[in-house]
């Protein structure tokens, strides 16, 4: 792109091959979702079997009468809620670490990252007992708060490197011109850091949307999230592959849309920080 | 006021900023700490407390009986003695280390390769590649695991069929899940497949920061592709490679859902990693004290693995 003379033709073919390798499992999932259960389970796998929307119909409750909307809404609540919380907490912290350095700020960063050392499975029992004690079991806000704590360290780390890219001279001249903190944030910091914020938000959103372990243990009928709903299809009797694939396709959709919309921002955002 | 005495930028004579700083009001000095407080407190409460609880539990006997009766039975180092005296633990630890190394190396090298690839292809192809990567990244763990189970399935799997069609007839009906090693190989493939997108996007973003002139200069000097990579690309992305290696280490060492969902640690415990062992002892076996001891040992191993990496990373940040 930047230097067309250097483009070596085979790279294009390799890129297509890599793309196909990455897309294959997902494409197979989408295709299987459109097959009937018997076709999905044939040997060898039938690629050309007639297409049907039966899998999707079953996902949306045909036959069982179980609506997929409550789990999807739960997932959206937990993911969006925790992403917003993470940004609200991480941006000021990262701002303090990047632009107004605190003494021993590397120690602070070290603390943030060291909290990622705890194996998540180990946290299950204490969190479960706490939830039971406080009556927060099967409550979606507990999940949102938990996801916030899981994403916060990485978010602070990423945001700090994004905000460190804001030129100090501009901040100082803004201060000399008598601009208040809020004005500086809005006029100077926000435009530079926006793609970085978008990238961080996307990363947090994907993680929360797909989290299964805590959701499975801490939620039940009321607050079950989409991945938990998905496990329900696997454990049922008989043929389930088409149904699972249809469910998985629908559940992946929001992340896909968000990812597709943000992929340019993602690259732009990530290229700001962490590097130099 | 002391807060502002230590700016991270190493400037020989910080004349002007020092003057500007003297005019600040006292309240301003406390501001960074006020901004840091909410995030730090949230983490201390939400993660510090479970860590403390796990640490305390590791010194207690806490089976289902004690849990129901609410009894606190301190047993000192008994749990640790039990775990460390069990040869299975050492096998599982070595297996987890090898598994983590395989995942991290495959993810980082693969991600770097895909990033280089993205830089070399045209805009249209790159978009296709990026969309494919986002697809792989977005797939829920459980869906991805199910798809991989079916791809590698003995009777229905598309992989065996493809290998047979390519002439490798010995793979007809080959089962990938009869040994722990090949089961883990499938899991490594799955985790690498899901891990590469993040690494590739991050490294590609880093490569965009390299000035075009440097590549032009390398081309004029007649540098080969490999020489250009070593002289121009690698120095630019090395800090990022350290970062993604560190993050992959953290994720892959502790990874649980995929490993468990694939074969529940089987066959015969052959694909059991430390995270699975911890789950089997704790949640499944209700020996929470022993499980907590395993968790504490895991943290220690992880700290040992990453301490050097982390120190290098922080030092690099300090002298930006």
């Amino acid at each position: 792109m930047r230097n067309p003379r250097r483009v070596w033709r085979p790279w294009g073919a390799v890129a297509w091959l890599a793309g196909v390798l990455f897309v294959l499992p997902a494409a197979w999932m989408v295709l299987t979702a459109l097959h009937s259960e018997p076709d999905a389970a044939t040997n060898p796998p039938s690629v050309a079997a007639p297409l049907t929307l039966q899998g999707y119909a079953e996902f949306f409750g045909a036959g069982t009468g179980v609506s997929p909307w409550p789990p999807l809404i739960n997932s959206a609540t937990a993911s969006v809620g925790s992403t917003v919380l993470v940004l609200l907490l991480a941006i000021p912290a990262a701002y303090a670490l990047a632009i107004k350095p605190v003494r021993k700020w590397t120690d602070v960063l070290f603390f943030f990252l060291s909290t990622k050392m705890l194996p998540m499975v180990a946290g299950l029992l204490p969190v479960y007992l706490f939830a039971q004690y406080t009556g927060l079991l099967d409550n979606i806000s507990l999940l949102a708060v938990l996801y916030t704590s899981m994403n916060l360290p990485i978010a602070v780390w990423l945001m700090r490197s994004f905000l460190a890219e804001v030129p100090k001279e501009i901040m100082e001249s803004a201060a000399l011109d008598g601009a208040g903190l809020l004005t500086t944030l809005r006029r100077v910091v926000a435009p530079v850091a926006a793609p970085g914020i978008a990238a961080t938000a996307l990363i947090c959103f994907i993680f929360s949307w797909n989290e299964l372990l805590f959701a499975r243990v801490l939620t039940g009928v009321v607050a079950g999230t989409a991945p938990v709903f998905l496990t329900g299809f696997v454990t049922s009797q008989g043929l389930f592959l088409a149904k699972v694939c249809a469910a998985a396709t629908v559940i992946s959709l929001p992340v896909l849309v968000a990812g597709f919309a943000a992929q340019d921002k993602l690259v732009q955002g990530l290229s700001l920080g962490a590097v130099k | 006021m002391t807060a502002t005495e230590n700016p991270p930028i190493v400037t020989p004579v910080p004349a002007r900023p020092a003057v500007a700083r003297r005019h600040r009001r006292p309240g301003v000095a406390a501001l960074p700490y006020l901004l840091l407080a909410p995030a730090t407190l949230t983490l201390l409460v939400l993660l510090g407390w479970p860590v403390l609880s796990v640490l305390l539990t590791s010194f207690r006997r806490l089976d289902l009986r004690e849990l129901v009766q609410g009894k606190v039975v301190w047993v000192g180092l008994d749990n640790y003695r039990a775990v460390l005296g069990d040869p299975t633990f050492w096998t599982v630890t070595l297996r987890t280390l090898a598994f983590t190394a395989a995942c991290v190396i495959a993810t980082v090298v693969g991600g770097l390769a895909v990033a280089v690839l993205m830089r070399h292809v045209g805009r249209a192809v790159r978009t296709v590649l990026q969309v494919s990567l986002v697809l792989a990244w977005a797939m829920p763990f459980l869906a991805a695991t199910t798809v991989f189970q079916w791809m590698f399935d003995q009777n229905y799997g598309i992989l065996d069929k493809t290998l047979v069609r390519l002439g490798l007839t010995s793979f007809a009906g080959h089962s990938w899940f009869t040994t722990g090693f090949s089961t883990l190989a499938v899991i490594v493939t799955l985790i690498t497949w899901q891990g590469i997108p993040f690494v590739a996007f991050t490294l590609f973003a880093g490569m965009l920061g390299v000035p075009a002139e440097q590549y032009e200069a390398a081309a004029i000097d007649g540098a080969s592709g490999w020489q250009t990579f070593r002289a121009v690309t690698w120095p630019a992305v090395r800090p990022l490679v350290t970062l993604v290696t560190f993050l992959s280490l953290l994720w892959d060492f502790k990874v649980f859902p995929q490993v468990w969902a694939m074969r529940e640690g089987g066959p015969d415990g052959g694909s059991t990693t430390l995270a699975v062992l911890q789950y089997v002892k704790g949640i499944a076996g209700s020996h929470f004290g022993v499980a907590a001891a395993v968790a504490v040992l895991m943290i220690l191993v992880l700290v040992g693995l990453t301490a050097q990496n982390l120190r290098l990373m922080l030092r690099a940040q300090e002298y930006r």
Side-chain angles (χ1 to χ4, degrees):
Chain A
M1 28 127 216
R2 188 184 288 137
N3 204 340
R5 277 165 298 135
R6 280 181 41 79
V7 175
W8 177 52
R9 290 216 166 268
W11 282 120
V14 176
W16 275 104
L17 189 69
V20 167
L21 275 181
F22 271 92
V23 119
L24 202 64
W28 189 76
M29 173 181 84
V30 173
L31 184 68
T32 307
L34 290 168
H35 283 163
S36 67
E37 291 293 358
D39 282 336
T42 50
N43 179 17
S46 51
V47 177
L51 303 181
T52 165
L53 287 174
Q54 190 59 29
Y56 287 99
E58 292 201 26
F59 172 73
F60 282 103
T64 55
V66 182
S67 166
W69 290 112
L72 285 173
I73 291 168
N74 282 334
S75 270
T77 314
S79 311
V80 174
S82 80
T83 305
V84 170
L85 267 176
V86 164
L87 291 182
L88 284 180
L89 290 167
I91 293 174
Y95 178 80
L97 288 174
I99 292 170
K100 296 190 175 291
V102 190
R103 233 172 14 146
K104 301 271 186 197
W105 65 277
T106 50
D107 292 353
V108 180
L109 261 187
F110 186 87
F111 162 73
F112 276 112
L113 281 180
S114 68
T115 57
K116 294 299 287 178
M117 303 279 178
L118 176 74
M120 295 223 281
V121 189
L124 266 180
L125 180 71
V127 171
Y128 181 85
L129 292 177
F130 170 79
Q132 202 180 32
Y133 184 72
T134 51
L136 283 170
L137 274 183
D138 208 7
N139 187 330
I140 197 67
S141 45
L142 176 69
L143 274 192
V145 171
L146 283 175
Y147 294 165
T148 304
S149 71
M150 290 173 197
N151 284 327
L152 193 53
I154 305 287
V156 170
W157 176 280
L158 287 174
M159 294 291 310
R160 194 206 69 85
S161 21
F162 298 142
L163 291 177
E165 294 301 309
V166 180
K168 288 244 175 356
E169 296 74 28
I170 302 184
M171 305 262 323
E172 275 164 17
S173 55
L176 285 179
D177 289 346
L181 179 65
L182 281 178
T183 318
T184 317
L185 281 180
R186 209 158 43 97
R187 292 277 173 79
V188 182
V189 180
V192 181
I197 295 175
T200 311
L202 181 71
I203 290 167
C204 294
F205 180 81
I206 292 186
F207 172 83
S208 313
W209 184 267
N210 282 342
E211 203 281 332
L212 175 63
L213 187 61
F214 277 80
R216 186 146 189 209
V217 173
L218 297 173
T219 66
V221 207
V222 185
T225 60
V228 178
F229 187 65
L230 187 61
T231 57
F233 287 103
V234 180
T235 47
S236 60
Q237 295 296 310
L239 296 174
F240 58 78
L241 194 62
K243 238 180 303 176
V244 169
C245 287
T249 309
V250 177
I251 290 170
S252 316
L253 219 57
V255 185
L256 279 188
V257 172
F260 188 72
Q263 53 150 326
D264 273 354
K265 281 262 182 296
L266 188 70
V267 170
Q268 202 189 343
L270 289 171
S271 71
L272 275 177
V275 201
K276 290 142 276 171
Chain B
M1 287 306 274
T2 48
T4 48
E5 280 174 12
N6 197 7
I9 294 180
V10 183
T11 24
V13 190
R16 205 173 63 89
V19 175
R21 212 160 273 139
R22 215 171 293 149
H23 293 295
R24 283 191 186 160
R25 282 162 289 137
V28 176
L31 186 65
Y33 295 95
L34 287 178
L35 293 175
L36 263 178
T40 313
L41 287 178
T42 309
L43 275 185
L44 270 181
V45 173
L46 286 173
L47 292 175
W49 170 72
V51 171
L52 191 66
S53 156
V54 167
L55 190 65
L56 290 176
T57 308
S58 74
F59 297 114
R60 287 166 56 182
R61 188 172 74 226
L62 187 64
D63 294 350
L64 213 50
R65 194 157 57 103
E66 284 81 8
L67 189 67
V68 173
Q69 293 175 346
K71 262 200 306 196
V72 178
V73 186
W74 297 101
V75 292
L77 291 171
D78 277 8
N79 290 328
Y80 289 95
R81 242 172 253 134
V83 172
L84 295 174
D86 181 1
T88 322
F89 171 78
W90 296 102
T91 322
V92 172
T93 304
L94 286 180
R95 187 187 295 141
T96 310
L97 289 176
F99 166 79
T100 310
C103 287
V104 171
I105 292 172
T107 311
V108 174
V109 172
L112 187 60
V114 173
V116 171
L117 198 59
M118 276 203 248
R119 216 188 66 75
H120 275 277
V121 296
R123 175 174 278 278
V125 183
R126 190 168 63 244
T127 308
V128 172
L129 196 56
Q130 287 184 351
V131 171
S132 318
L133 290 175
V134 173
L135 259 169
W137 195 11
M139 230 164 131
F141 297 138
L142 191 73
T145 312
T146 311
V147 168
F148 267 69
Q149 276 173 346
W150 280 80
M151 279 173 40
F152 285 88
D153 191 88
Q154 189 177 355
N155 298 316
Y156 304 108
I158 196 162
L159 183 69
D160 282 356
K161 303 282 173 211
T162 313
L163 288 173
V164 170
R165 189 138 326 155
L166 288 175
L168 301 161
T169 41
S170 59
F171 280 98
H174 176 79
S175 173
W176 295 88
F177 298 109
T178 43
T179 68
F181 182 78
S182 66
T183 307
L184 279 176
V186 175
I187 299 172
V188 169
T189 315
L190 167 64
I191 288 174
T192 307
W193 177 75
Q194 288 203 298
I196 281 181
F198 173 74
V199 174
F201 274 119
T202 312
L203 295 181
F204 174 63
M207 288 175 195
L208 287 184
V210 182
E213 299 82 47
Q214 292 192 12
Y215 283 107
E216 277 156 22
I220 290 167
D221 290 347
S224 70
W226 173 243
Q227 284 168 330
T228 313
F229 175 80
R230 285 218 19 209
V232 182
T233 313
W234 179 247
V237 295
R238 208 175 55 181
L240 269 184
V241 171
T242 318
L243 175 72
V244 293
T245 306
F246 169 74
L247 290 177
S248 304
L249 248 176
L250 277 186
W251 287 325
D252 296 344
F253 184 77
K254 302 182 306 181
V255 66
F256 173 75
Q258 290 95 322
V259 186
W260 180 253
M262 192 65 84
R263 276 297 181 269
E264 306 202 339
D268 213 11
S271 68
T272 298
T273 60
L274 280 174
V276 172
L277 181 75
Q278 210 241 322
Y279 181 82
V280 169
K281 296 259 186 216
I283 307 295
S286 299
H287 300 297
F288 299 107
V290 181
V294 175
V296 172
L297 291 170
M298 275 179 79
I299 297 178
L300 291 180
V301 174
L302 201 50
V303 170
L305 280 180
T306 53
Q308 188 62 20
N309 197 328
L310 200 54
R311 207 173 304 135
L312 280 178
M313 228 158 47
L314 288 173
R315 196 171 304 152
Q317 299 261 326
E318 212 160 352
Y319 296 117
R320 289 162 52 101

